[in-house]
Amino acid sequence: MLTIASRVDVMNRLGRAMADPTRSRILMALLDGPSHPAVLSRELELTRSNVSNHLTCLRDCGIVVAEPEGRRTRYEIADPHLTAALTALIDVTLAVDEHARCIDSACVVPGCCGTGAGA
């Protein structure tokens, strides 16, 4: 059973993982699927050592896991539930942005987009 203290610890780990813009970019890339540090560094135009350092932080926070593939290591979001939660968090954050239109054409959330329900 999660206590309040352990829940706070989980929130702090997640917050630490997402607090850095580079880690957030890496997480966004990994939401699209597993990847290797070399690919991430090329796609995100970062040094490989920078990507590796941030992947270590994300792994230590429990957000990503490293899977050995021969001489290479593949990184991915630690759990499909976490992938869904991060995606939902991004969607909800966009939904409450007063300058962004609702991205869900079938939205039934009262007050969404300031017009009741719908986009």
Side-chain angles (χ1 to χ4, degrees), residues 27-48:
L27 278 172
M28 292 294 295
L30 292 176
L31 284 175
D32 291 334
S35 192
H36 299 91
V39 174
L40 290 167
S41 65
R42 186 173 54 251
E43 289 177 352
L44 300 175
E45 298 179 348
L46 300 166
T47 65
R48 189 151 176 202

Side-chain angles (χ1 to χ4, degrees), residues 9-116:
D9 179 56
V10 168
M11 290 294 292
N12 287 336
R13 284 188 292 138
L14 184 58
R16 179 173 180 242
M18 295 188 313
D20 182 89
T22 299
R23 284 193 293 275
S24 291
R25 291 176 62 208
I26 291 170
L27 278 172
M28 292 294 295
L30 292 176
L31 284 175
D32 291 334
S35 192
H36 299 91
V39 174
L40 290 167
S41 65
R42 186 173 54 251
E43 289 177 352
L44 300 175
E45 298 179 348
L46 300 166
T47 65
R48 189 151 176 202
S49 63
N50 190 6
V51 168
S52 292
N53 287 337
H54 285 292
L55 285 168
T56 297
C57 176
L58 291 169
R59 189 183 66 227
D60 291 347
C61 289
I63 308 299
V64 302
V65 293
E67 297 292 332
E69 289 184 334
R71 295 176 54 181
R72 298 172 50 179
T73 303
R74 182 186 78 236
Y75 286 85
E76 59 189 57
I77 304 293
D79 185 90
H81 294 95
L82 186 54
T83 300
L86 289 170
T87 300
L89 181 60
I90 292 165
D91 291 346
V92 166
T93 302
L94 288 173
V96 298
D97 182 344
E98 65 186 54
H99 302 294
R101 291 194 44 82
C102 184
I103 58 175
D104 182 1
S105 61
C107 180
V108 296
V109 177
C112 183
C113 302
T115 60

